[in-house]
Amino acid sequence: MSTNFGCSCVPLYPTCSEKEGFEDLSVRFLHTADLQIGKGFGQLPSEISVVLRNARLETLKKIAVLARERRVDAVLVAGDCFDDIAVGDETLRRFKVALEPFGGTWVLLPGNHDPATAESPWSRLKRLTLPENVIVADEPIPIALGDKAMILPAPLKRRRDAADLTEWFDTAETDDHLIRIGLAHGSVREFLPEASEAANPVAMDRDIRARLDYLALGDWHGKLQVTDRTWYAGTPEPDRFRANEPGYILNVAIDAPGAKPTIEPVAVAEYRWMEQTRDIMPGGTDDVSQGLDIPAAELSRLIVRLELQGTIDLSTRAALDEALGDLRARVQYLEVDDAGLVVEPTEDDLDMIDTTGFVRTGMERLREQLNGPDAETARRALALLYGLHHQTGG
């Protein structure tokens, strides 16, 4: 989707030549959003949930270290620092500690998960005493970034708002020599999927209307460019199986008011979430881990969901279970959906289990049900028999 930034006859932004007398007009900052510190991950086992919850704080520390190393002017967090307004005081204190490696300016915007209500993480953070370099942008008033830039925030006061809270940017007065940066959390109309546009709208052309040099957005969990001057940073630590490029922060450089921003995505995620569908063929289990296509040393950083489908024999089923068990030991977490996998035992499969006696009789009865209404139960029972036989070396 393209955006027209103006015509050749009327400049939308003042040029550098109009700003004579100002030597260093540039600003450098990191743009991130949707940290969602304290996220529960209730859909995963408790031990994995703890690991992933702690990883979000570690990633925030990593961002702070990057900000210090790159000597940026500020870190802008475009909403949802916290997953819920009910996060505990211990989480708030750990959040404060994670910010410490960067002594420059932090600007934190309340989002839909952590709106600036009367009793919120923000009011409690203030009672815990925030350092002077940490600014909570909980009011729609300009925030000066030194003598280089002015930040225009659009904090959410509730989870869902039908109004475009960035509208006030249009009439906000700032000195001509200051770079104008918008900071908001919401859905860009006519750009994101319709289901994402139910509340907290942001006008598609807000950067033009408000003469913004950059609009830093949060809410969409993937890195996404809207226009040359408007970006979603996405969540720096992925939290779901979705291929929308999460796991980044944006390193933003603006040389002067009106200059086109330079955007550098920087990968910071501790864990990767990967979802794949695999067609399994008889004898084809070797690619279960190889198909993930990442170095073996990085497997421990994976949260994996595999959907398996195909028709296989019992010997392949046993080999597949072995391969999945090995993969489960290598990755951080493995979820397998094998509802689409059909097991059709061969004569050789059945002969390996037993050729005589009551076991064979039971197997024959199960085989008779393979084409009936209880076919799936029969297949699973035969697979279980084969697996037990395989494990005991019978």
Side-chain angles (χ1 to χ4, degrees), residues 74-124:
V75 178
L76 310 185
V77 185
D80 284 1
C81 285
F82 304 100
D83 187 58
D84 189 85
I85 60 172
V87 292
D89 282 355
E90 180 183 355
T91 298
L92 295 179
R93 292 181 187 277
R94 294 181 69 190
F95 174 79
K96 282 178 55 180
V97 170
L99 305 180
E100 290 178 355
F102 178 57
T105 301
W106 291 85
V107 182
L108 313 176
L109 183 79
N112 66 306
H113 277 259
D114 54 6
T117 55
E119 184 63 19
S120 69
W122 308 111
S123 58
R124 289 187 288 131

Side-chain angles (χ1 to χ4, degrees), residues 164-177:
D164 184 344
L165 301 181
T166 67
E167 189 171 354
W168 78 273
F169 297 175
D170 297 0
T171 56
E173 297 292 335
T174 59
D175 290 344
D176 288 344
H177 74 279

